[in-house]
Amino acid sequence: MYKYREVYTDIKNNILTNHYRAGSLMPTQEELAEKYSISRLTLRKVLQMLGDEGLVYSKQGAGTFVRPRMADSPDEILPLNSPIGVTYSHRSQEISSKVLHFDARLPTPLEQKNLNIEANEPVYEIKRVRYLNGKHYSFEHTIMPTRIAPLDEKILHKSIYDYLGSKNIMMTDARRVVYAEAADAETSQAMGVDLNCPMLVIEQTAYDQKGRAFEYSVSQFIKDHSKFVFDVHRQWY
Amino acid sequence: MYKYREVYTDIKNNILTNHYRAGSLMPTQEELAEKYSISRLTLRKVLQMLGDEGLVYSKQGAGTFVRPRMADSPDEILPLNSPIGVTYSHRSQEISSKVLHFDARLPTPLEQKNLNIEANEPVYEIKRVRYLNGKHYSFEHTIMPTRIAPLDEKILHKSIYDYLGSKNIMMTDARRVVYAEAADAETSQAMGVDLNCPMLVIEQTAYDQKGRAFEYSVSQFIKDHSKFVFDVHRQWY
DNA sequence: TAGTGGTCTAGACCACCTG
DNA sequence: AGGTGGTCTAGACCACTAC
């Protein structure tokens, strides 16, 4: 529909198929703009998008280069910059959930702070064990203000994100805090691991389109079963 | 020097000082452009920069809004999207290093793959314990091709990044993989923790301006001593 | 329907890298 | 010195949201 989308797709394909080879110089912006019959500004928008993805970089006075590809990461490694839930990251695999706890209550001070709500605003508290292909995958402790959307146990067996999406609530921003911890009694029982077994913990505060915090969750993953990858692209303005 | 830089700084300050209040509508792009005597396109560039930082967001047809601020994270939590080393993240604190191992050798297959080098290209192998204010902070195992820059023990007591910067090598991209692990014998001895104590592991492959991998490192952090934060801003094109 | 942000243009000039 | 990318303009039209 938009010109820049078409050009973006085409150039990206040319890079991924090695038509523009890694490390080499690309045609000048003027040439590319002419090739696609677009203005140089529109082309620059495309190059910026590709640059944000780490596929190309430009040096003033020199030209635009194709970045050598980073080593591909194995499949068992999940991207840290997409929704954490099992559902999104393993679309094609078999997923199930066991709801250990589902209730509403008033928020703790920490939850008030993270969700930016008052002490008298009720929240749902949910504890779920998630299974991937029948094996323990994660133990999730989720807090969500009740006014965001009504929940019930049926929804919790599927994806909360899918449900919220149907209510037009989408995660556009998130803050994630990651650290290691020893499994406590509750976790070890829920996940079927030894007490004090190392767990990877990811705390997430999720924000919707309007910047409203709608979820605070703590997810625990078994050591060696789950690794997360994260690409850093430094940019200066 | 550039107009967009000045405008960027000014608007950002207005947001941070709550002159433009969180959640509220900002003036229209046309008004802002006129206020700063710049074209609308230049203003849009500024808004995009602010949007990338998660400070504002625009909705077509509606306007540009100031995003409610995310909860501030405590100081002990370090950003995951800046250099991992102690030196960069704790500029003002007291840092020291103990070099446990420093040698050169040929790379393992895994190192060849991650650094994108041939089997016959020698690498430095470095093991360091890093101390923050006199306390164990991290255990770093670093592999670097020798052709990147000559190293010696004296450099290793300070910041490798500062040294590489003086050689005009700067990290512009990195791939990080994070997971939890139980401390092995070497780690527990080096860090003064119990065997099998949970550790947070961050593997990093760092790339310079030209997309060349110049470092592969595995850093281990003691549970509860170190947490890492990471902000996600989703953007669709 | 009015008003907002999103796309796109053709062209000018500046800053920077490479020979 | 020549060529490249970076900045910036004034203006047109389109897509979307809100009322």
Side-chain angles (χ1 to χ4, degrees):
Chain A
M1 187 184 215
Y2 293 123
K3 291 190 181 179
Y4 75 87
R5 269 212 144 287
E6 289 173 25
V7 177
Y8 165 82
T9 306
D10 193 65
I11 294 184
K12 184 166 179 175
N13 285 338
N14 276 328
I15 293 173
L16 296 181
T17 58
N18 278 317
H19 189 254
Y20 294 139
R21 257 164 294 158
S24 71
L25 212 60
M26 293 185 46
T28 68
Q29 296 185 355
E30 208 139 355
E31 286 169 349
L32 283 173
E34 192 171 3
K35 174 182 172 186
Y36 291 105
S37 304
I38 58 176
S39 74
R40 208 183 124 207
L41 209 72
T42 305
L43 180 82
R44 282 178 57 72
K45 184 194 181 85
V46 172
L47 290 183
Q48 162 145 28
M49 288 162 60
L50 294 168
D52 286 346
E53 289 183 58
L55 287 172
V56 304
Y57 66 98
S58 298
K59 240 195 330 201
Q60 187 167 142
T64 302
F65 301 80
V66 180
R67 225 187 254 290
R69 209 87 71 66
M70 294 190 189
D72 284 333
S73 53
D75 297 54
E76 330 88 57
I77 301 188
L78 300 171
L80 193 51
N81 36 358
S82 58
I84 282 285
V86 218
T87 332
Y88 267 82
S89 24
H90 298 85
R91 278 281 177 214
S92 56
Q93 303 187 56
E94 199 195 324
I95 298 147
S96 57
S97 300
K98 183 164 73 178
V99 178
L100 299 184
H101 177 86
F102 175 52
D103 206 348
R105 58 167 171 78
L106 290 178
T108 67
L110 176 67
E111 290 158 8
Q112 292 167 40
K113 183 182 164 237
N114 280 315
L115 292 168
N116 198 25
I117 56 175
E118 300 297 325
N120 62 0
E121 184 173 347
V123 295
Y124 290 119
E125 178 177 42
I126 305 143
K127 292 184 182 179
R128 295 193 293 178
V129 178
R130 315 215 61 180
Y131 300 88
L132 187 63
N133 298 324
K135 282 164 56 182
H136 290 84
Y137 175 72
S138 69
F139 179 38
E140 299 179 7
H141 185 184
T142 304
I143 306 293
M144 191 182 101
T146 59
R147 83 171 138 98
I148 298 289
L151 284 186
D152 59 48
E153 283 228 20
K154 198 174 162 190
I155 293 163
L156 300 183
H157 284 93
K158 300 180 191 165
S159 164
I160 299 185
Y161 283 100
D162 281 348
Y163 168 69
L164 291 177
S166 72
K167 298 275 180 184
N168 229 353
I169 295 168
M170 295 192 300
M171 188 186 89
T172 59
D173 292 77
R175 163 156 293 183
R176 293 187 176 148
V177 176
V178 52
Y179 54 94
E181 204 167 63
D184 61 15
E186 182 185 29
T187 305
S188 68
Q189 193 186 357
M191 295 297 282
V193 297
D194 291 342
L195 198 68
N196 293 324
C197 167
M199 306 293 287
L200 180 70
V201 186
I202 299 182
E203 286 184 22
Q204 166 173 285
T205 308
Y207 301 82
D208 68 6
Q209 309 96 295
K210 297 191 174 164
R212 179 179 58 165
F214 69 89
E215 186 204 79
Y216 169 66
S217 66
V218 180
S219 300
Q220 300 198 52
F221 301 86
I222 301 175
K223 135 191 126 78
D224 290 344
H225 286 212
S226 299
K227 297 184 177 185
F228 292 87
V229 68
F230 165 49
D231 289 326
V232 183
H233 303 297
R234 197 91 146 281
Q235 29 199 339
W236 300 270
Y237 291 117
Chain B
M1 185 182 214
Y2 292 124
K3 290 190 181 178
Y4 76 86
R5 269 214 144 285
E6 289 172 26
V7 177
Y8 165 82
T9 306
D10 193 66
I11 295 183
K12 185 166 179 175
N13 284 339
N14 277 328
I15 294 173
L16 296 181
T17 58
N18 278 317
H19 189 253
Y20 293 138
R21 257 166 294 156
S24 70
L25 210 59
M26 292 185 46
T28 68
Q29 296 185 355
E30 208 139 356
E31 286 169 350
L32 283 173
E34 192 171 2
K35 173 182 174 187
Y36 291 106
S37 303
I38 58 175
S39 75
R40 209 181 125 209
L41 208 71
T42 305
L43 180 82
R44 282 177 57 71
K45 184 193 181 85
V46 172
L47 290 183
Q48 163 145 29
M49 288 162 60
L50 294 168
D52 286 346
E53 289 184 56
L55 288 171
V56 304
Y57 67 97
S58 299
K59 233 185 351 194
Q60 187 167 150
T64 302
F65 301 81
V66 181
R67 226 186 252 290
R69 209 89 66 69
M70 294 190 188
D72 284 333
S73 51
D75 296 53
E76 330 87 57
I77 300 188
L78 299 172
L80 193 51
N81 34 359
S82 57
I84 282 284
V86 219
T87 332
Y88 266 83
S89 24
H90 299 85
R91 278 280 179 212
S92 55
Q93 303 186 53
E94 198 195 324
I95 297 147
S96 57
S97 301
K98 182 163 75 180
V99 178
L100 299 184
H101 176 85
F102 175 53
D103 206 348
R105 57 169 171 76
L106 290 177
T108 67
L110 175 67
E111 290 158 7
Q112 291 166 40
K113 185 183 162 235
N114 280 315
L115 292 168
N116 199 24
I117 56 175
E118 299 299 325
N120 62 1
E121 183 172 349
V123 295
Y124 291 120
E125 177 178 41
I126 306 143
K127 292 184 182 178
R128 293 194 294 177
V129 179
R130 315 214 62 180
Y131 300 88
L132 187 62
N133 298 324
K135 283 163 56 183
H136 290 83
Y137 175 72
S138 69
F139 179 37
E140 298 179 9
H141 185 184
T142 305
I143 306 292
M144 191 183 101
T146 58
R147 82 170 139 101
I148 298 289
L151 284 185
D152 58 48
E153 282 228 20
K154 198 173 162 190
I155 293 164
L156 300 184
H157 285 93
K158 301 181 192 165
S159 163
I160 298 184
Y161 283 100
D162 281 348
Y163 168 69
L164 291 177
S166 73
K167 298 277 181 184
N168 229 352
I169 296 168
M170 296 191 300
M171 188 187 88
T172 58
D173 291 78
R175 163 155 294 181
R176 293 186 175 150
V177 176
V178 53
Y179 54 94
E181 204 167 64
D184 61 15
E186 182 185 27
T187 305
S188 69
Q189 193 186 356
M191 296 295 283
V193 297
D194 291 342
L195 199 67
N196 293 325
C197 167
M199 307 292 288
L200 181 69
V201 186
I202 299 182
E203 287 184 22
Q204 167 173 284
T205 309
Y207 301 82
D208 68 6
Q209 309 96 295
K210 298 192 173 164
R212 179 180 57 164
F214 69 87
E215 184 205 79
Y216 170 66
S217 67
V218 180
S219 301
Q220 299 199 52
F221 301 86
I222 302 175
K223 134 190 126 82
D224 292 343
H225 286 213
S226 298
K227 297 185 177 184
F228 292 87
V229 68
F230 164 49
D231 290 325
V232 183
H233 304 297
R234 196 88 147 281
Q235 32 198 341
W236 298 270
Y237 291 113

